[in-house]
Amino acid sequence: MSSSSSSLPLQTLKIGIVGFGTFGQFLAKTMIKQGHTTRATSRTDYSQLCHQLDVPFFRDVVPFLESDNDVILICTSILSLSEVLNSMPLRRLKRQTLFVDVLSVKEHPRNVLLQVLPENMDVLCTHPMFGPESGKNGWKDLPLVYEKVRVRNETRCSSFLHIFESEGCRMVEMSCEEHDKVAARSQFLSHSIGRILAEMGIESTSMNTKSFETLVKLKESATNDSFDLFSGLFIHNRFAQQELMKLEQSFEKVKQRLLKKMSEQQSLSSV
Ligand code: NAP
């Protein structure tokens, strides 16, 4: 864990958001509250919603890119990242900008950003480990994982990270690779189990134990996120497949132990 802003001066930022779905909107609200200026572009037309939020909305990505952003914040789905970035005429950027992504996997956006961006653009990869539900009552003590992949303008980067620090987030500096390793064993695993429970159709009962309540909550939280998000956690995290296999093997081992015990009991009772 480290403090990101040290003693550098902080600046109010002009933040252009790419992908104004659930998570992009959620982040924008806090940024606006803190006095930063936001504008957005997205595949869907969010003009009306943006009007209510007082956020300029750009249907056309060219004026968006030309709109003097300090930061371009990528909030698209994991699956659409390459397509979205490759469709942006990045040469239209008028100034040196900090690109930040918030995708729930980290090696993939790091690689894509380094591949498509001009060399003079800064890159910060982040993963806020919370969402509209877990962060609805504030972000205090919720983790923000980040790696400064290519940062030359430290003041701007610190000012961006300060958005999370000042909300009380736990700032965790970690390589993208380490993030993906850990997230495959934690976040992907809990999403997978939540999806399996949803597939089984579990519902709250009148005699819930605390453990069962936890399972119901896990199911609900996994299915609140889009299937695109869940499949992105699998497809674009090279450590996830191994965890899915371990889950399957472990399920099989537990089942075999139960069946063995049952057959032992049956042979005892038939004596
Ligand atoms: P999501 O389903 O992962 O992504 C929805 C966003 O992706 C929308 O802005 C959508 O644009 C855009 N999108 C999807 N397919 C597209 C395509 N083919 N072309 C262009 N844009 C496309 O849901 P989300 O919850 O909003 O998550 C956004 C990002 O934040 C993801 O990368 C996710 O991993 C990350 N994240 C989410 C959470 C969370 O709790 N939800 C937490 C941490 C990080 P339109 O709305 O314009 O259709």
Side-chain angles (χ1 to χ4, degrees), residues 9 48 209 213 221 234 245 269:
Q48 268 196 318
T209 58
E213 259 170 35
S221 113
F234 179 65
M245 273 161 52
S269 58

Side-chain angles (χ1 to χ4, degrees), residues 180 184 188 233-235 237-245:
D180 284 3
F188 172 67
L233 295 180
F234 179 65
I235 297 166
N237 181 339
R238 67 191 163 107
F239 304 103
Q241 200 165 347
Q242 198 183 332
E243 295 305 325
L244 192 63
M245 273 161 52

Side-chain angles (χ1 to χ4, degrees), residues 18-27 41-46 57 74-81 83-84 87 101-105 126-134 187 191 224-230 232-233:
V18 179
F20 209 58
T22 315
F23 199 61
Q25 293 167 32
F26 169 69
L27 292 179
T41 187
S42 211
R43 170 184 62 173
T44 302
D45 183 0
Y46 288 108
F57 183 77
I74 311 290
C75 298
T76 55
S77 67
I78 299 167
L79 298 184
S80 66
L81 175 77
E83 182 194 333
V84 169
S87 69
D101 85 283
V102 295
L103 273 61
S104 309
V105 294
T126 77
H127 183 194
M129 306 293 301
F130 53 91
E133 191 48 40
S134 52
Q187 190 191 27
H191 271 253
N224 274 341
D225 285 328
S226 69
F227 196 80
D228 267 12
L229 199 162
F230 176 50
L233 295 180

Side-chain angles (χ1 to χ4, degrees), residues 200 246-264 266:
M200 287 177 70
K246 281 189 200 152
L247 180 64
E248 205 176 1
Q249 287 160 1
S250 305
F251 174 82
E252 197 50 40
K253 268 193 199 160
V254 173
K255 187 173 123 192
Q256 288 312 322
R257 280 183 69 187
L258 282 173
L259 292 174
K260 185 164 170 268
K261 191 76 182 169
M262 184 163 77
S263 109
E264 283 167 10
Q266 282 166 348

